[in-house]
Amino acid sequence: MDPKLYKAAADGNIDALNLFDDIPYQLTPQGNTVLHIAAQFGQAELVDKPLIQWPSLSSLLQQPNKKDDTPLHLAAREGHLTAVKNLIAATKQIQGGAAVCDVMLRMSNEEGDTALHEEVRYRHSEVVKLLIEEDHEFSYGANSEGNTPLYLAADLGDSETWCR
């Protein structure tokens, strides 16, 4: 990935994105896209607005990096509530909307973690609540270590999030 594109994504500089024609094809050595970078750094507007200007970027919403993390995994891990909301909202706006959003919410990385596993592990209770509300019908399974999100919460002593 061009360092200027990386910096623009990390800083949330939407105007700088106009300098690049090949955004969907630029990756970091870890396989992160511009949406991964924006999500990781909590650049909520950059997660949302470019999809309106460049609909071709919608394919990046579910694109995994080399560790099979999606932009949602990274935003969840860092506890960026608004970025998570914007990723979900953007996914609902593309063709297939709710079904595509369910797929994204349920995607697991190489460790078998969904975004919900990440949220629980890093104790981002507001984002945990949002993810449960968005996909309350899904029965989250165990990751590669055999831990479900509920088990992780109990193990961490976080009963408050789950008992409301």
Side-chain angles (χ1 to χ4, degrees):
M1 175 179 289
D2 185 303
K4 291 178 184 173
L5 178 58
Y6 183 96
K7 182 164 176 31
D11 293 345
N13 187 345
I14 295 171
D15 294 332
L17 296 180
N18 289 319
L19 303 173
F20 300 92
D21 297 328
D22 58 348
I23 293 172
Y25 308 105
Q26 292 217 28
L27 303 174
T28 67
Q30 297 79 24
N32 289 329
T33 67
V34 68
L35 285 185
H36 283 92
I37 304 305
Q40 181 178 6
F41 286 93
Q43 300 300 339
E45 280 195 24
L46 203 146
V47 166
D48 192 25
K49 290 190 178 173
L51 296 175
I52 296 165
Q53 187 172 352
W54 299 290
S56 65
L57 294 184
S58 65
S59 65
L60 303 182
L61 287 165
Q62 295 183 39
Q63 184 171 329
N65 64 15
K66 289 184 179 179
K67 291 185 176 184
D68 289 336
D69 287 322
T70 64
L72 183 62
H73 281 97
L74 299 183
R77 187 174 299 140
E78 299 298 327
H80 298 304
L81 179 62
T82 306
V84 169
K85 284 181 180 180
N86 286 359
L87 286 164
I88 291 169
T91 303
K92 287 180 177 179
Q93 291 175 17
I94 62 176
Q95 190 171 7
V100 174
C101 187
D102 286 348
V103 168
M104 181 181 72
L105 290 169
R106 299 171 184 181
M107 290 179 76
S108 58
N109 62 16
E110 69 181 14
E111 295 172 358
D113 289 334
T114 63
L116 184 59
H117 284 90
E118 297 287 355
E119 292 295 344
V120 171
R121 181 175 291 114
Y122 292 99
R123 299 176 183 229
H124 302 301
S125 60
E126 291 301 314
V127 186
V128 168
K129 291 173 192 174
L130 172 66
L131 293 179
I132 291 170
E133 289 171 9
E134 286 294 331
D135 196 13
H136 61 276
E137 294 181 12
F138 183 60
S139 174
Y140 286 89
N143 62 15
S144 60
E145 295 176 350
N147 299 323
T148 65
L150 182 57
Y151 174 83
L152 289 171
D155 190 48
L156 294 169
D158 186 10
S159 60
E160 183 179 325
T161 300
W162 294 87
C163 295
R164 287 187 174 180

